[in-house]
Amino acid sequence: MAQSRGLRSRRALQVALYPMVKTRGLSAQPALHVLRKVADAYATRQANLTNGNYGRPGSTRYTAVAGTAVAFRPYAAQPFDDRCLSWQMDVSTVSIWTTAGRVRGVRFVCAPWQRTLLAARKGETDLVYRDGHFYLYATVDEPSPKPAPPPDTAEGWLGVDLGIVNLAVTTDDDPATLDVRWSAPVVGSRWKTCRVSATGYG
């Protein structure tokens, strides 16, 4: 219907199709998510058409894509907000709305570091089916990492010392990161190896 009636925006789809979607057994929030998903899919397709990803207007591929209704796979990812999917971190379960009603006590597993990140979860959760398993993709609100020092400051420089014992040594004042690949013993050993390979004897 979105294709045949030219309905593209979220509002247009909601006004025209919300009552019909509700009669299919979906409650209010899931029905809205379905319509928004359709609107977003058409917006993505239009952006690809505009950017020439399907060829020039009038080409065979462009015409075929523009004239075909957007379809979703049976196991395509589905977004859920907190009213349709809630997390019970203390018992490692989720409560999720389905077309057969709400299902509670669904177990989930994750790594300890992922559990720590889930404490900062915020926004929607996507249910994704991949390689025979269901995954929950959660949005985490974490502060940005500390930016690297700019190159025009003392902290942003990497020193290279040209010497006799070591031809070139790079360091950022951390002994663990000392680069001695070009030290005299290493270079001498490489030179001897190359000479033996070239002449056949040392």
Side-chain angles (χ1 to χ4, degrees), residues 51-85:
N51 293 330
N53 295 334
Y54 296 118
R56 296 180 179 180
S59 65
T60 302
R61 188 183 183 196
Y62 184 100
T63 303
V65 172
T68 304
V70 172
F72 298 96
R73 301 185 310 275
Y75 290 101
Q78 180 63 32
F80 291 87
D81 60 18
D82 287 337
R83 285 169 285 188
C84 298
L85 189 149

Side-chain angles (χ1 to χ4, degrees), residues 44-184:
T44 300
R45 188 187 72 172
Q46 185 57 48
N48 285 323
L49 290 170
T50 302
N51 293 330
N53 295 334
Y54 296 118
R56 296 180 179 180
S59 65
T60 302
R61 188 183 183 196
Y62 184 100
T63 303
V65 172
T68 304
V70 172
F72 298 96
R73 301 185 310 275
Y75 290 101
Q78 180 63 32
F80 291 87
D81 60 18
D82 287 337
R83 285 169 285 188
C84 298
L85 189 149
S86 59
W87 297 74
Q88 293 79 47
M89 298 300 302
D90 54 337
V91 291
S92 298
T93 63
V94 295
S95 172
I96 186 172
W97 183 93
T98 70
T99 54
R102 181 169 287 276
V103 178
R104 295 178 172 83
V106 180
R107 300 278 302 177
F108 71 88
V109 294
C110 63
W113 64 269
Q114 292 173 320
R115 183 177 295 275
T116 301
L117 287 177
L118 282 173
R121 188 193 62 80
K122 184 178 181 181
E124 292 184 345
T125 299
D126 292 337
L127 178 64
V128 179
Y129 183 78
R130 191 179 69 184
D131 298 331
H133 300 280
F134 284 100
Y135 296 89
L136 291 172
Y137 289 4
T139 303
V140 177
D141 188 9
E142 280 282 290
S144 301
K146 184 180 178 181
D152 57 349
T153 64
E155 295 180 355
W157 286 96
L158 178 66
V160 178
D161 182 18
L162 300 179
I164 298 176
V165 177
N166 295 325
L167 301 183
V169 176
T170 59
T171 178
D172 56 0
D173 291 334
D174 184 359
T177 63
L178 187 65
D179 185 356
V180 294
R181 289 176 297 174
W182 302 107
S183 65

